[in-house]
Amino acid sequence: MVSTGFVVGGLAIARWGLGANPVHTLLLVNVALWAISSVFTLRSSIVLLAVGMFAYLCLMPYAEAAEQTVLQKVVPFERQGRVFGFAQSVEMAASPLTAFLISPVAQFVAIPFMTTGAGVELIGGWFGTGPDRGLALVFTATGLVGLAVTLVALRTRYYRVLSLRYAGAGAAA
């Protein structure tokens, strides 16, 4: 049932598109995705998890479509194969790398913090305690960091340059 979010997101893109600036759309979608990631684990609730995952899955097609649209318009045609291949390689390498990096943090820091550590006294009253809440804390903290980084990215010169380059590529076509 929750996986129908992909279909809903795809239908929304087909109906309303990505907007005039898919670079902006991509970053705004990432703001929403990071916000969802940091909020849906605040309480131990299957309903909150299902709603959060449904919203997340609704937005993922926007992120993927915006990324592909920008790459196809900004990268010269003769280089697209190499760029797409490199981007796919980075995405495939990032998944096990981040899992390898975050696992020790969860196991040796977050879970003990929420089971027997200071987190039980500090935030355990409203956040909950136990190993599951330690993992939830990892999701919440990671979501907040990602949200901050994405909001900073919206203010960078690189974002403005890429947006202008996309607009220029559209005008040239």
Side-chain angles (χ1 to χ4, degrees), residues 3-21:
S3 62
T4 59
F6 272 123
V7 175
V8 171
L11 290 172
I13 292 169
R15 174 71 173 101
W16 295 289
L18 295 170
N21 186 354

Side-chain angles (χ1 to χ4, degrees), residues 112-124:
F113 182 73
M114 294 308 295
T115 53
T116 59
V120 173
E121 291 295 320
L122 189 64
I123 61 173

Side-chain angles (χ1 to χ4, degrees), residues 27 67 100 130 141 143 159 170:
L27 287 178
E67 176 188 5
F100 179 73
Y159 162 71

Side-chain angles (χ1 to χ4, degrees), residues 54-124:
F54 180 78
Y56 195 93
L57 291 174
C58 284
L59 291 173
M60 281 309 297
Y62 273 95
E64 292 296 327
E67 176 188 5
Q68 289 300 312
T69 300
V70 171
L71 285 174
Q72 288 175 5
K73 210 161 222 184
V74 172
V75 176
F77 181 72
E78 58 277 357
R79 291 192 183 150
Q80 284 184 7
R82 287 177 275 174
V83 171
F84 292 151
F86 179 72
Q88 184 69 24
S89 297
V90 170
E91 285 183 23
M92 297 300 285
S95 181
L97 182 62
T98 54
F100 179 73
L101 292 174
I102 202 67
S103 295
V105 172
Q107 182 178 357
F108 299 118
V109 178
I111 292 173
F113 182 73
M114 294 308 295
T115 53
T116 59
V120 173
E121 291 295 320
L122 189 64
I123 61 173

